[in-house]
Amino acid sequence: MRTWHEMRGFPLAVRLLLVNQLGVNTGFYLLIPYLATHLGENLGMSAAVVGIVLGVRNLSQQGLFIIGGSASDRLGARGVIIAGCALRTVGFALFALGDGLPVLLAASVLSGLAGALFNPAVRAYLAQEAGERKAEAFALFNVFATTGALIGPLLGSVLLLVDFRTSALTAAGIFAVLTVAQALVLPARKVRPSGNSGVLADWREVLGNRAFLAFALAMVGMFTLENQLYLLLPDGAREATGWDGAAGIVFLVGTVANLTLQLRITTSLKSRGDRARWIAAGLAVMGLAFLPPALASGAVPVLVSALLLYLGVMVASPFVMELIPRFGRPELTGTYFGIFYVVSGIAAAVGNTVVGWAMDAGQSGGRAWLPWVCCAGCGLASAAGVAWLRGLGALPADPAQAAPVRAGDRSRA
């Protein structure tokens, strides 16, 4: 298979990080999709308390990405990755071993903090180790992440036939194995000083890069629409078929497409036009993906929507990940990723709220097309934003086209 052939062409550290992402997503989706049901049905908690536990986990992760990114730059990505996986091991084990609210809140904080640590650190380490093959590395990263997101819920549904505790301990065990593997295999790299007086100075430098902030805001559509794989599309599949398991078909279609097409798409587009052009095109495809269910009812339009959405992500995502480190100095790669994911987390939360409102309004008002049209508009607006920045020359040039531009120059774009 082409995926394995391409994978062998990277250093051992990159190959481990790819397998690591498969394990991370498998362990995460093995547990988290079933956590609310466990808290409400098995432990008898009210919907408000369930919301608090889940909200604390999400806030701990999304709000602290900047901490993980800065720690990666200041302390080294390797140590932060290992610490993050170790914390996720403890957090998931607490979900299995504790039934009281204080223990569950502690588990939520630890598992969220873990994600805030290793998510930006993994991407910073991958960007540094992949060299000029960043796009291909992130394409493979996307393949392994998508596969894990499919395997996790399937494995979780099987383990839940035993009980939730077994599922949580299995997830904790996966993260424990990943922690040991990282400690044994990932090589330590010398940390290059940023030259700033402290972390706050690093943040000021990144936040002062107006081109980067404009790009991060323009990418709001990508993260909002990706989140519809867990909200609007599964709901549409269930409505169209009357079968709760229809949501699994959506993920299966996407995973098969990702495994067969991701590398081909990235390697083909990499040599045809600049990266920003393909990011804008991918966002446009993601937006257009939501039009089939808006125009026609039934299962087929929903599956076409899912396939187009995955296709748009496959076009845009590797080039987005490749572009982020080039906005600034290599010494601040983790901080750039951290701040980018803080923006994406806020975007996903706001976007899901808007889409949820549109779903309710559409259902009550007989306008089933409303949430789909909202998503289409969001994607097309993001595509237009990236195209506008590209037209202004505010985005970093492709590696083969120009030497790196100083962060201070870009901040004036």
Side-chain angles (χ1 to χ4, degrees), residues 374-386:
C374 283
C375 288
C378 181
L380 294 175
S382 278
V386 173

Side-chain angles (χ1 to χ4, degrees), residues 120-206:
V122 163
R123 286 158 178 80
Y125 197 107
L126 192 65
Q128 292 161 1
E129 292 291 316
E132 294 303 314
R133 299 186 65 202
K134 290 181 179 65
E136 291 90 339
F138 282 112
L140 283 169
F141 191 82
N142 194 22
V143 169
F144 279 84
T146 302
T147 305
L150 176 67
I151 294 173
L154 295 177
L155 180 58
S157 64
V158 172
L159 291 173
L160 283 173
L161 296 176
V162 182
D163 60 15
F164 179 83
R165 193 180 304 274
T166 301
S167 182
L169 287 175
T170 301
I174 290 173
F175 280 96
V177 170
L178 293 176
T179 303
V180 173
Q182 292 157 2
L184 293 176
V185 176
L186 283 183
R189 297 290 185 240
K190 184 178 179 180
V191 179
R192 291 185 290 184
S194 70
N196 291 327
S197 58
V199 171
L200 292 179
D202 292 346
W203 294 356
R204 282 195 297 270
E205 180 176 329
V206 175

Side-chain angles (χ1 to χ4, degrees), residues 360-378:
D360 291 338
Q363 188 175 32
S364 62
R367 296 172 292 176
W369 49 265
L370 182 59
W372 303 98
V373 170
C374 283
C375 288
C378 181

Side-chain angles (χ1 to χ4, degrees), residues 200-242:
L200 292 179
D202 292 346
W203 294 356
R204 282 195 297 270
E205 180 176 329
V206 175
L207 293 173
N209 190 330
R210 289 181 290 175
F212 168 71
L213 291 183
F215 177 72
L217 290 173
M219 294 306 301
V220 160
M222 186 173 87
F223 295 101
T224 298
L225 299 190
E226 272 191 291
N227 268 266
Q228 302 320 306
L229 289 168
Y230 310 102
L231 180 62
L232 182 57
L233 281 165
D235 183 76
R238 287 189 292 266
E239 286 288 329
T241 63

Side-chain angles (χ1 to χ4, degrees), residues 101-118:
L101 183 58
V103 175
L104 292 172
L105 288 175
S108 293
V109 170
L110 288 177
S111 60
L113 176 59
L117 289 176
F118 65 67

